[in-house]
Tab-separated table of all heavy atoms in Angstrom:
chain	number	residue	atom	x	y	z
N	1	GLN	N	-11.220	7.217	-7.480
N	1	GLN	CA	-10.853	8.628	-7.492
N	1	GLN	C	-10.801	9.211	-6.082
N	1	GLN	O	-9.890	9.981	-5.749
N	1	GLN	CB	-11.840	9.413	-8.356
N	1	GLN	CG	-11.751	9.096	-9.833
N	1	GLN	CD	-12.746	9.894	-10.661
N	1	GLN	OE1	-13.552	10.639	-10.115
N	1	GLN	NE2	-12.701	9.733	-11.969
N	2	ILE	N	-11.775	8.855	-5.245
N	2	ILE	CA	-11.795	9.401	-3.889
N	2	ILE	C	-10.564	8.946	-3.124
N	2	ILE	O	-9.878	9.733	-2.467
N	2	ILE	CB	-13.082	8.989	-3.146
N	2	ILE	CG1	-14.288	9.734	-3.734
N	2	ILE	CG2	-12.961	9.270	-1.650
N	2	ILE	CD1	-15.616	9.362	-3.097
N	3	ALA	N	-10.240	7.657	-3.205
N	3	ALA	CA	-9.085	7.129	-2.480
N	3	ALA	C	-7.781	7.719	-3.002
N	3	ALA	O	-6.865	8.033	-2.232
N	3	ALA	CB	-9.053	5.606	-2.582
N	4	SER	N	-7.684	7.879	-4.305
N	4	SER	CA	-6.453	8.396	-4.901
N	4	SER	C	-6.208	9.849	-4.543
N	4	SER	O	-5.066	10.321	-4.580
N	4	SER	CB	-6.512	8.245	-6.425
N	4	SER	OG	-6.634	6.888	-6.794
N	5	ALA	N	-7.264	10.567	-4.193
N	5	ALA	CA	-7.133	11.987	-3.874
N	5	ALA	C	-6.699	12.231	-2.430
N	5	ALA	O	-6.341	13.352	-2.075
N	5	ALA	CB	-8.450	12.708	-4.135
N	6	VAL	N	-6.704	11.204	-1.595
N	6	VAL	CA	-6.348	11.371	-0.190
N	6	VAL	C	-4.850	11.628	-0.068
N	6	VAL	O	-4.033	10.914	-0.658
N	6	VAL	CB	-6.740	10.120	0.631
N	6	VAL	CG1	-6.251	10.259	2.072
N	6	VAL	CG2	-8.248	9.928	0.598
N	7	GLN	N	-4.496	12.657	0.696
N	7	GLN	CA	-3.102	13.054	0.866
N	7	GLN	C	-2.516	12.448	2.139
N	7	GLN	O	-3.231	12.182	3.105
N	7	GLN	CB	-2.986	14.575	0.936
N	7	GLN	CG	-3.526	15.291	-0.291
N	7	GLN	CD	-2.739	14.958	-1.542
N	7	GLN	OE1	-1.513	15.038	-1.555
N	7	GLN	NE2	-3.442	14.563	-2.597
N	8	VAL	N	-1.202	12.254	2.148
N	8	VAL	CA	-0.523	11.744	3.331
N	8	VAL	C	-0.609	12.763	4.459
N	8	VAL	O	-0.628	13.976	4.210
N	8	VAL	CB	0.953	11.405	3.015
N	8	VAL	CG1	1.743	12.671	2.700
N	8	VAL	CG2	1.604	10.650	4.169
N	9	SER	N	-0.706	12.290	5.703
N	9	SER	CA	-0.746	13.178	6.860
N	9	SER	C	0.608	13.846	7.043
N	9	SER	O	1.632	13.170	7.171
N	9	SER	CB	-1.113	12.383	8.120
N	9	SER	OG	-0.851	13.144	9.282
N	10	SER	N	0.626	15.183	7.074
N	10	SER	CA	1.894	15.897	7.230
N	10	SER	C	2.507	15.645	8.608
N	10	SER	O	3.725	15.590	8.748
N	10	SER	CB	1.684	17.402	7.007
N	10	SER	OG	0.713	17.912	7.901
N	11	THR	N	1.662	15.472	9.639
N	11	THR	CA	2.197	15.209	10.973
N	11	THR	C	2.865	13.836	11.020
N	11	THR	O	3.938	13.668	11.595
N	11	THR	CB	1.086	15.286	12.032
N	11	THR	OG1	0.028	14.389	11.681
N	11	THR	CG2	0.546	16.684	12.146
N	12	MET	N	2.233	12.843	10.410
N	12	MET	CA	2.815	11.504	10.404
N	12	MET	C	4.079	11.459	9.548
N	12	MET	O	5.044	10.758	9.874
N	12	MET	CB	1.793	10.488	9.892
N	12	MET	CG	0.621	10.268	10.824
N	12	MET	SD	1.112	9.554	12.410
N	12	MET	CE	0.477	10.780	13.543
N	13	ALA	N	4.092	12.213	8.458
N	13	ALA	CA	5.266	12.223	7.576
N	13	ALA	C	6.474	12.810	8.283
N	13	ALA	O	7.590	12.272	8.211
N	13	ALA	CB	4.938	13.014	6.303
N	14	ILE	N	6.268	13.932	8.993
N	14	ILE	CA	7.369	14.557	9.732
N	14	ILE	C	7.855	13.633	10.843
N	14	ILE	O	9.063	13.455	11.056
N	14	ILE	CB	6.921	15.906	10.320
N	14	ILE	CG1	6.759	16.950	9.198
N	14	ILE	CG2	7.907	16.412	11.365
N	14	ILE	CD1	8.055	17.436	8.601
N	15	ASP	N	6.913	13.022	11.556
N	15	ASP	CA	7.288	12.125	12.651
N	15	ASP	C	8.079	10.930	12.132
N	15	ASP	O	9.078	10.519	12.743
N	15	ASP	CB	6.025	11.655	13.379
N	15	ASP	CG	6.344	10.888	14.656
N	15	ASP	OD1	7.077	11.425	15.495
N	15	ASP	OD2	5.860	9.754	14.803
N	16	ALA	N	7.652	10.384	10.999
N	16	ALA	CA	8.361	9.236	10.422
N	16	ALA	C	9.781	9.617	10.005
N	16	ALA	O	10.732	8.849	10.219
N	16	ALA	CB	7.581	8.696	9.230
N	17	LEU	N	9.937	10.808	9.407
N	17	LEU	CA	11.264	11.253	8.975
N	17	LEU	C	12.177	11.468	10.182
N	17	LEU	O	13.351	11.069	10.163
N	17	LEU	CB	11.137	12.549	8.170
N	17	LEU	CG	12.449	13.170	7.669
N	17	LEU	CD1	13.229	12.188	6.814
N	17	LEU	CD2	12.163	14.457	6.895
N	18	ALA	N	11.642	12.082	11.234
N	18	ALA	CA	12.441	12.320	12.435
N	18	ALA	C	12.882	11.004	13.068
N	18	ALA	O	14.039	10.862	13.492
N	18	ALA	CB	11.642	13.148	13.435
N	19	LYS	N	11.966	10.032	13.117
N	19	LYS	CA	12.309	8.731	13.700
N	19	LYS	C	13.355	8.009	12.865
N	19	LYS	O	14.240	7.329	13.403
N	19	LYS	CB	11.047	7.880	13.842
N	19	LYS	CG	10.139	8.340	14.979
N	19	LYS	CD	8.858	7.525	15.072
N	19	LYS	CE	8.008	7.986	16.243
N	19	LYS	NZ	6.702	7.284	16.316
N	20	GLN	N	13.288	8.164	11.537
N	20	GLN	CA	14.289	7.541	10.675
N	20	GLN	C	15.656	8.174	10.894
N	20	GLN	O	16.676	7.482	10.951
N	20	GLN	CB	13.881	7.676	9.208
N	20	GLN	CG	14.842	7.013	8.229
N	20	GLN	CD	15.025	5.535	8.496
N	20	GLN	OE1	14.044	4.790	8.553
N	20	GLN	NE2	16.263	5.087	8.674
N	21	MET	N	15.685	9.510	11.035
N	21	MET	CA	16.954	10.190	11.303
N	21	MET	C	17.538	9.748	12.645
N	21	MET	O	18.740	9.533	12.769
N	21	MET	CB	16.756	11.710	11.268
N	21	MET	CG	16.441	12.262	9.877
N	21	MET	SD	16.079	14.039	9.861
N	21	MET	CE	17.703	14.719	10.211
N	22	LYS	N	16.675	9.593	13.646
N	22	LYS	CA	17.144	9.095	14.940
N	22	LYS	C	17.720	7.697	14.805
N	22	LYS	O	18.760	7.378	15.383
N	22	LYS	CB	15.984	9.091	15.946
N	22	LYS	CG	15.617	10.447	16.494
N	22	LYS	CD	14.511	10.305	17.542
N	22	LYS	CE	14.087	11.644	18.093
N	22	LYS	NZ	13.016	11.512	19.109
N	23	ALA	N	17.025	6.846	14.032
N	23	ALA	CA	17.500	5.480	13.823
N	23	ALA	C	18.848	5.465	13.121
N	23	ALA	O	19.654	4.539	13.321
N	23	ALA	CB	16.475	4.689	13.023
N	24	ASP	N	19.107	6.491	12.319
N	24	ASP	CA	20.388	6.607	11.615
N	24	ASP	C	21.473	7.250	12.484
N	24	ASP	O	22.574	7.526	11.995
N	24	ASP	CB	20.204	7.426	10.334
N	24	ASP	CG	19.327	6.716	9.311
N	24	ASP	OD1	19.206	5.472	9.402
N	24	ASP	OD2	18.763	7.403	8.438
N	25	GLY	N	21.141	7.521	13.738
N	25	GLY	CA	22.131	8.064	14.659
N	25	GLY	C	22.178	9.566	14.728
N	25	GLY	O	23.086	10.130	15.351
N	26	VAL	N	21.221	10.271	14.114
N	26	VAL	CA	21.194	11.730	14.139
N	26	VAL	C	20.451	12.195	15.395
N	26	VAL	O	19.390	11.652	15.744
N	26	VAL	CB	20.503	12.290	12.875
N	26	VAL	CG1	20.500	13.818	12.904
N	26	VAL	CG2	21.179	11.775	11.621
N	27	ASP	N	20.985	13.183	16.061
N	27	ASP	CA	20.410	13.678	17.310
N	27	ASP	C	19.260	14.645	17.029
N	27	ASP	O	19.374	15.863	17.185
N	27	ASP	CB	21.497	14.371	18.145
N	27	ASP	CG	20.956	14.911	19.468
N	27	ASP	OD1	19.953	14.368	19.953
N	27	ASP	OD2	21.543	15.888	19.992
N	28	VAL	N	18.133	14.091	16.606
N	28	VAL	CA	16.959	14.891	16.272
N	28	VAL	C	16.016	14.942	17.474
N	28	VAL	O	15.809	13.943	18.163
N	28	VAL	CB	16.211	14.289	15.058
N	28	VAL	CG1	14.870	14.977	14.855
N	28	VAL	CG2	17.055	14.422	13.807
N	29	ILE	N	15.450	16.121	17.712
N	29	ILE	CA	14.417	16.273	18.740
N	29	ILE	C	13.076	16.451	18.025
N	29	ILE	O	12.942	17.317	17.162
N	29	ILE	CB	14.691	17.476	19.651
N	29	ILE	CG1	16.066	17.334	20.313
N	29	ILE	CG2	13.609	17.595	20.727
N	29	ILE	CD1	16.471	18.539	21.140
N	30	GLY	N	12.105	15.631	18.376
N	30	GLY	CA	10.826	15.645	17.684
N	30	GLY	C	9.744	16.423	18.417
N	30	GLY	O	9.493	16.181	19.599
N	31	PHE	N	9.124	17.381	17.720
N	31	PHE	CA	7.976	18.112	18.234
N	31	PHE	C	6.806	17.985	17.262
N	31	PHE	O	5.972	18.875	17.161
N	31	PHE	CB	8.322	19.595	18.431
N	31	PHE	CG	9.339	19.852	19.509
N	31	PHE	CD1	10.696	19.856	19.219
N	31	PHE	CD2	8.946	20.073	20.818
N	31	PHE	CE1	11.646	20.087	20.203
N	31	PHE	CE2	9.883	20.302	21.813
N	31	PHE	CZ	11.240	20.305	21.510
N	32	GLY	N	6.780	16.853	16.541
N	32	GLY	CA	5.804	16.712	15.476
N	32	GLY	C	4.518	16.033	15.885
N	32	GLY	O	3.430	16.601	15.761
N	33	ALA	N	4.594	14.804	16.367
N	33	ALA	CA	3.381	14.024	16.610
N	33	ALA	C	2.688	14.447	17.904
N	33	ALA	O	3.339	14.809	18.888
N	33	ALA	CB	3.715	12.543	16.669
N	34	GLY	N	1.359	14.384	17.903
N	34	GLY	CA	0.576	14.714	19.082
N	34	GLY	C	0.405	13.504	19.971
N	34	GLY	O	-0.685	12.937	20.073
N	35	GLU	N	1.488	13.120	20.637
N	35	GLU	CA	1.475	11.903	21.440
N	35	GLU	C	2.148	12.170	22.780
N	35	GLU	O	3.323	12.545	22.820
N	35	GLU	CB	2.202	10.790	20.689
N	35	GLU	CG	2.225	9.466	21.408
N	35	GLU	CD	2.765	8.350	20.528
N	35	GLU	OE1	3.772	8.572	19.821
N	35	GLU	OE2	2.179	7.259	20.549
């Protein structure tokens, strides 16, 4: 139950989506991840 209740990180989710769009050739600028 404890493990199943853990939610995905919103920062990592946004960063992953932006990187996928970039990989698809979309000119996305990322301000999501703290890196």
Side-chain angles (χ1 to χ4, degrees):
Q1 292 180 356
I2 289 178
S4 299
V6 175
Q7 301 296 310
V8 67
S9 166
S10 57
T11 55
M12 292 296 123
I14 288 288
D15 189 54
L17 179 57
K19 286 177 178 176
Q20 182 58 55
M21 292 175 70
K22 284 183 181 180
D24 294 338
V26 181
D27 180 26
V28 170
I29 302 175
F31 293 89
E35 181 171 43

